[in-house]
Amino acid sequence: MRILIVDDERWWIDLYRKTLEKEGHTVHFALSAQDALECIDQQTPDVILLDFVMPGGNAMVLLHELQTYADTKNIPVIISTSLSHAKNIAADFEKYGVHIVLDKATVTPKKLKEAIGAVQV
Amino acid sequence: MSEEGERQRYEQTVLCEVPSLVVAAHELKAPLALIRQLSLVLRDEPAEVSLRDKDVRVLLERLTATSERSLRLVEMLTRHARLEDGLFELEPLHIGQVCEDIAHEIMPLCRVSGQKVEVRLPKRTTLALANRELLKSILFGLCDNALTNNQPEKPIVISSFSHAERIRVGVRDFGPQLSKSSFSTLKERLGKEAQPLGKRPGSSGLGLYIAGQFAEAMHGSLGVVRHQDAGATFFVETPMSAQLSLL
């Protein structure tokens, strides 16, 4: 699968990428919502792994944009966040294609793989 | 409900107004979560696919840098809580020496992120009337911010100059140019109370808020300059020491 990681912290990108590439996925990354939109323009990912709070616009900016276009509105999104009320985000943003929320404080490579597997079509 | 209405409802219920303690907890949780992940990689890498020494070194450096960042935040929070006790006395400080110290202390973070720091000082000796701990805390935080935003091709620059009985020490990064609206918001909110997480994309502003409080405790102020070409300079201003006139 083609997975786009969107996170302003490179070290998180490296950690996720390591796990995902081991599973045979093709991984791209973007450091901001704006960069992510440019990446998506060039090549549509199969899944987006999205940090929730980033400089230049949080995940909401990206989620709203994705819903605007027919070829991006159905891309499954996994939110990755340190926010303590992560579960609330999942409930509020299901309609934006957010299927799963991973808490950065408790995520493991196994949970990440399970999340990707869960949204795989 | 309209998109704008939905966004407002979201900001109220999900990213609601939170007290500073919750903001501080989040700011600490983020690096601790990263430390945990880095440790998991070191612990769980299968024996048959061992990490190269270089990879281990990189992971350990990142672990160290992230845990030090957390410790510094805890120190800043502790100092902030003690500001009202009047424990932070002001003294004449050689600004050049302070800047060189900071450049030396930030080197490990620079190394881990593959960046450099440069110090540019005026030829004339300048003494600021400030508290060493508070000033270094502010400057280290500004440097850490600059490293996060900077493009690696250029070094971050620590510089100082004096004007009208005040000394300004600035940290310049060459990252993406701030938009006029972002800059305007930033300038308005600089040093003010940390904002709800949704209103300030990327960070709560807790570090800058505490830095602003430290600056005020030294009868100084925090400021920011947006550059036309790239990046910004965040600076702290303090009174000049009258002792300079005795030199």
Side-chain angles (χ1 to χ4, degrees), chain B:
Chain B
M1 189 186 287
S2 70
E3 193 176 293
E4 184 53 34
E6 214 167 61
R7 201 193 300 265
Q8 283 174 7
R9 185 187 78 86
Y10 160 75
E11 285 184 352
Q12 277 179 339
T13 59
V14 179
L15 296 181
C16 52
E17 291 286 342
V18 290
S20 292
L21 194 58
V22 178
V23 172
H26 171 77
E27 291 287 339
L28 275 170
K29 186 181 172 188
L32 288 171
L34 184 55
I35 288 168
R36 179 181 161 278
Q37 276 302 305
L38 292 165
S39 305
L40 282 178
V41 172
L42 283 169
R43 186 194 72 181
D44 294 340
E45 194 68 14
E48 64 271 21
V49 184
S50 59
L51 292 167
R52 292 173 298 172
D53 283 348
K54 183 185 160 196
D55 294 331
V56 171
R57 212 161 37 246
V58 165
L59 284 169
L60 289 172
E61 279 183 348
R62 289 178 180 183
L63 263 169
T64 307
T66 310
S67 44
E68 282 174 352
R69 188 174 271 137
S70 304
L71 285 167
R72 268 195 306 279
L73 178 57
V74 170
E75 262 181 40
M76 278 188 88
L77 288 166
T78 309
R79 283 189 187 129
H80 180 250
R82 300 178 73 191
L83 272 180
E84 287 182 4
D85 295 343
L87 296 172
F88 299 98
E89 290 181 357
L90 306 182
E91 58 174 327
L93 294 178
H94 191 295
I95 280 301
Q97 191 58 57
V98 172
C99 292
E100 295 286 358
D101 286 349
I102 291 295
H104 178 73
E105 286 171 27
I106 202 90
M107 282 305 288
L109 274 183
C110 289
R111 206 171 39 242
V112 167
S113 59
Q115 300 193 63
K116 293 189 177 151
V117 60
E118 216 174 271
V119 179
R120 293 180 194 163
L121 300 169
K123 288 181 185 164
R124 201 167 144 246
T125 303
T126 44
L127 292 181
L129 188 65
N131 177 276
R132 187 181 298 274
E133 275 182 54
L134 297 185
L135 183 60
K136 286 181 75 173
S137 203
I138 293 170
L139 290 174
F140 200 101
L142 296 185
C143 287
D144 198 359
N145 261 353
L147 285 174
T148 304
N149 296 318
N150 196 41
Q151 300 298 326
E153 299 82 37
K154 291 193 173 181
I156 63 166
V157 177
I158 306 172
S159 62
S160 78
F161 72 88
S162 53
H163 173 71
E165 307 297 319
R166 309 278 288 177
I167 290 185
R168 179 182 289 193
V169 186
V171 182
R172 166 90 194 258
D173 73 81
F174 293 88
Q177 190 192 45
L178 288 170
S179 67
K180 282 185 183 169
S181 57
S182 300
F183 174 66
S184 168
T185 308
L186 176 62
K187 208 168 169 185
E188 187 196 315
R189 296 294 309 176
L190 197 63
K192 293 188 184 165
E193 193 163 351
Q195 299 174 63
L197 293 163
K199 289 194 189 300
R200 183 155 180 171
S203 80
S204 62
L206 180 64
L208 284 177
Y209 164 66
I210 295 177
Q213 296 290 295
F214 285 179
E216 272 184 35
M218 298 187 293
H219 308 294
S221 59
L222 213 59
V224 60
V225 170
R226 173 177 171 261
H227 297 284
Q228 291 296 331
D229 49 348
T233 294
F234 283 83
F235 61 84
V236 55
E237 263 190 14
T238 65
M240 195 184 290
S241 170
Q243 284 204 6
L244 192 59
S245 61
L246 303 177
L247 292 173

